[in-house]
Amino acid sequence: MSEISRRDFLKLLQGAGALLGVSVVATPVVAYFYPPKLEEVPSEPVLVCAESELPVGESKTIKFGRYPAIVIQTTNGLKAYSAVCTHFACIVKWNNASGEIDCPCHEGYFSPDDGSVLHGPPPAPLTPLIAEVVGGQIYVKVGGES
Ligand code: FES
């Protein structure tokens, strides 16, 4: 078995570095054009909490299958969305002071009324879910506009 020369080793190292550089640049570009999708969601409604535990202006983040969902009691009623940002899949949070759903990663902001992008880099609205009250309990299920 032949030994690898110092020059060949450096070329190999250079090639690995170039490959790493390409992947660092390509990954965000690909992710931008193919935003994360809500998959493996529960087929049954998921219990959030008692309606009395979610006053106007408050939100809860729950586990919804593999992903978190955010439920907000807005002045326009209950709203629910996937809490996964459509930019690079960070978890969004309700900001009661601004009245917007914030993504802290790259300053993306979404409307609580329809999940649309208000400003920032997210390429698509948040995935809407259906929030409903049954017997005084708030449930979230798949549905809504996409
Ligand atoms: S991941 Fe949400 S704005 Fe970038």
Side-chain angles (χ1 to χ4, degrees):
M1 196 158 144
S2 66
E3 286 187 24
I4 187 166
S5 71
R6 182 184 170 134
R7 176 174 291 198
D8 288 342
F9 178 73
L10 288 176
K11 279 184 182 173
L12 199 65
L13 214 54
Q14 195 175 28
L19 199 61
L20 182 67
V22 167
S23 69
V24 164
V25 171
T27 301
V29 171
V30 170
Y32 182 82
F33 289 107
Y34 299 97
K37 299 224 180 316
L38 192 62
E39 296 169 342
E40 298 178 41
V41 293
S43 55
E44 298 296 315
V46 172
L47 175 65
V48 177
C49 63
E51 188 179 21
S52 60
E53 294 174 19
L54 195 61
V56 172
E58 296 294 316
S59 75
K60 286 214 183 281
T61 300
I62 61 162
K63 190 171 184 304
F64 191 73
R66 279 186 57 200
Y67 303 96
I70 186 167
V71 185
I72 309 161
Q73 186 73 267
T74 74
T75 51
N76 297 324
L78 266 178
K79 305 289 180 178
Y81 303 97
S82 162
V84 179
C85 181
T86 56
H87 186 218
F88 287 144
C90 286
I91 306 306
V92 299
K93 294 180 175 18
W94 168 241
N95 183 335
N96 191 32
S98 67
E100 297 175 343
I101 302 169
D102 299 351
C103 180
C105 291
H106 310 100
E107 298 186 16
Y109 300 92
F110 299 89
S111 165
D113 294 325
D114 59 5
S116 61
V117 179
L118 296 173
H119 42 106
L126 294 173
T127 302
L129 301 170
I130 293 176
E132 60 187 7
V133 178
V134 179
Q137 303 290 318
I138 299 172
Y139 291 88
V140 169
K141 62 183 183 182
V142 175
E145 303 153 27
S146 58

